[in-house]
Each structure stands twice: as C-alpha cells, then as structure tokens.
C-alpha cells in the first residue's frame, strides 16, 4: 500500500517559472520529510528536508511547505532553470525507526523549457 | 573517494539464472539498503542492513537475498531471475539505521533486464 502519494507524475514549466510538486502522507507517525533529486543515469541525492515542527523550510530557490493538519507537503522551485530538469521524489520516515520505514513517493519528472 | 560503487552498470540475464549485484561503500556507513526503481512506482526498499552482520526485509523482498559480512559490502542476489525483476537497482547507505535522522547516499544504479 502506498503511504506517500505524489503528484503530478510529470510537469513542464517555462524557464523562470515556479515548479510545484505535491505529496500527501497517511501515517501520522512520520516525522521527517526529505526530497530527493535524480538526474538521468544517476542515483537520487538529498535536496532538502523538513521536520513537522516548522511549516516552511527554504534553501536557495527550493522551499518545502508543510501542512501537518492536512498531512501534505510540497516542493516549490522558484525561478526554475533548465538545470533543474530531473525526477523529484518526496519521502517520509519515522525518526528512530529502522530503515524499513522510509517510504518514497512515486516521483515527478520535471522538465524546464528554455 | 568513490562513495558508493555498484557493479555491473547494466546486465541482460536469462530467466532462471542466478545473479549477484555488487555494492561497495567507502564512507564507513553503518546502514546500507537496496532499492528497485520502476516507472510510476518510485523507489521500493528490497532489503536493508542497519549494521554489519544484520539484515532485514523491506517492502518487496521476495526473490532477493542479501548478506552483510563487513561494513563496506552489501551484495544483492537473485537466486533464479524472473522477468518481473527487470528494473533499475540502487544501493544506498547512511551513517546509521535511524531512518529519520540520516541522509541516504545512493550509488549510480544497475540496470537489469531479465528475458
């Protein structure tokens, strides 16, 4: 059963625009929410992460917005650039638990048009 | 410093054959993981190891086995490959097995095709 639902499956954004990817989770015990970025032919790499005690975390052009009551979180990429074209995965896990509790979303393929 | 290396890069395998995917890390991380990536399904955990000498089952363990004889190596074995095991396989590691606290570092992947 999928505990982290990610949308959209694919996204095309014009250069300079805002890219938004959404995730929803079911298990209220999750307390760590990372986003991973994957370029073609490469393994995923951690991009940014948030814990539910804050509603927003920003690192450069990348922002995570977190809504604990709705059990939703999203990634916003401001001023999107062609180099941001990649697949993005949201994930959720429980602190202190074993590795088997990390759940990834299904991924969003982002394409930035020049 | 390589981080995580995986071998082979790609492989075409006949159904029924045995295959071992290799994974080595040089970061002295305690925890290691194997995922498979399939379009539309994201990354699914196959097996994991929180420390050398221990292993555990993930979300999709059937048809796969692992061993963790030392800190650095975490091979994944398909005893008798089937076409549904066609996928891209990623090995990853993290400092510890505490899922919520540690970044996972991924290898470059192995693309496996079972005919």
């Amino acid at each position: 059963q999928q505990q982290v639902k990610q949308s959209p499956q694919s996204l095309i954004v014009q250069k300079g625009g805002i890219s938004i990817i959404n995730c929803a989770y079911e298990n209220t015990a999750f307390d760590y929410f990372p986003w991973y970025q994957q370029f073609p032919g490469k393994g995923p790499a951690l991009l940014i992460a948030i814990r539910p005690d804050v509603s927003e975390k920003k690192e450069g052009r990348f922002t995570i917005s977190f809504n604990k009551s709705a059990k939703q979180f999203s990634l916003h990429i401001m001023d999107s650039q062609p180099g941001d074209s990649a697949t993005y995965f949201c994930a959720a896990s429980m602190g202190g638990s074993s590795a088997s509790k990390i759940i990834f979303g299904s991924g969003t393929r982002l394409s930035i048009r020049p | 410093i390589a981080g995580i290396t995986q071998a082979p890069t790609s492989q075409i395998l006949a159904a029924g054959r045995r295959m071992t995917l290799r994974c080595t890390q040089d970061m002295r991380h305690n925890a290691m993981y194997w995922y498979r990536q399939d379009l539309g399904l994201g990354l699914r955990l196959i097996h994991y190891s929180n420390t050398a000498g221990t292993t555990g089952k993930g979300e999709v363990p059937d048809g796969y086995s692992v061993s963790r004889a030392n800190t650095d190596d975490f091979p994944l074995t398909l005893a008798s490959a089937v076409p549904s095991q066609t996928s891209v396989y990623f090995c990853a590691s993290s400092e510890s097995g505490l899922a919520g606290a540690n970044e996972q570092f991924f290898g470059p992947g192995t693309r496996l095709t079972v005919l």
Side-chain angles (χ1 to χ4, degrees):
Chain A
Q1 86 206 41
Q2 188 179 14
Q3 296 188 48
V4 179
K5 294 183 178 181
Q6 183 172 348
S7 63
Q9 186 173 2
S10 63
L11 180 63
I12 300 174
V13 175
Q14 289 294 129
K15 179 182 175 182
I18 302 173
S19 303
I20 302 174
I21 303 170
N22 301 298
C23 283
Y25 63 97
E26 300 172 4
N27 191 337
T28 56
F30 288 142
D31 63 358
Y32 178 68
F33 302 89
W35 284 88
Y36 281 78
Q37 180 187 54
Q38 182 183 28
F39 293 106
K42 305 291 185 182
L46 181 66
L47 179 65
I48 185 172
I50 195 169
R51 294 192 182 276
D53 52 344
V54 296
S55 60
E56 185 176 282
K57 182 173 182 180
K58 184 176 181 180
E59 291 184 2
R61 296 183 294 108
F62 300 90
T63 300
I64 300 177
S65 296
F66 188 85
N67 186 329
K68 188 174 181 178
S69 61
K71 294 187 289 184
Q72 295 176 345
F73 59 110
S74 60
L75 176 69
H76 296 237
I77 306 175
M78 311 300 290
D79 186 27
S80 299
Q81 298 298 310
D84 297 330
S85 296
T87 298
Y88 292 81
F89 294 97
C90 62
S93 66
M94 286 179 276
S97 68
S98 73
S100 63
K101 298 302 182 184
I102 298 176
I103 306 296
F104 284 87
S106 55
T108 296
R109 180 173 292 184
L110 174 65
S111 297
I112 307 300
R113 285 188 171 162
Chain B
I1 296 178
I4 296 182
T5 57
Q6 292 185 237
T9 301
S10 65
Q11 182 75 45
I12 299 174
L13 189 66
R17 296 297 296 269
R18 180 185 180 89
M19 175 74 190
T20 295
L21 308 185
R22 300 184 298 278
C23 175
T24 299
Q25 54 107 355
D26 62 3
M27 296 176 282
R28 306 304 293 174
H29 284 170
N30 285 311
M32 297 187 75
Y33 319 82
W34 273 105
Y35 293 90
R36 59 177 290 172
Q37 183 176 14
D38 302 288
L39 189 63
L41 296 176
L43 292 156
R44 293 181 293 168
L45 184 67
I46 304 171
H47 284 287
Y48 67 95
S49 169
N50 284 337
T51 189
T54 69
T55 62
K57 294 182 179 180
E59 181 185 355
V60 288
D62 294 343
Y64 306 95
S65 63
V66 293
S67 62
R68 186 88 184 278
N70 57 61
T71 297
D72 298 342
D73 301 301
F74 191 43
L76 176 74
T77 298
L78 290 67
S80 179
V82 295
S84 62
Q85 292 177 311
T86 294
S87 187
V88 181
Y89 290 86
F90 287 99
C91 179
S93 71
S94 65
E95 266 191 53
S96 84
L98 298 178
N102 288 278
E103 174 182 356
Q104 290 197 7
F105 295 83
F106 285 81
T110 293
R111 183 176 295 274
L112 181 67
T113 302
V114 182
L115 301 176

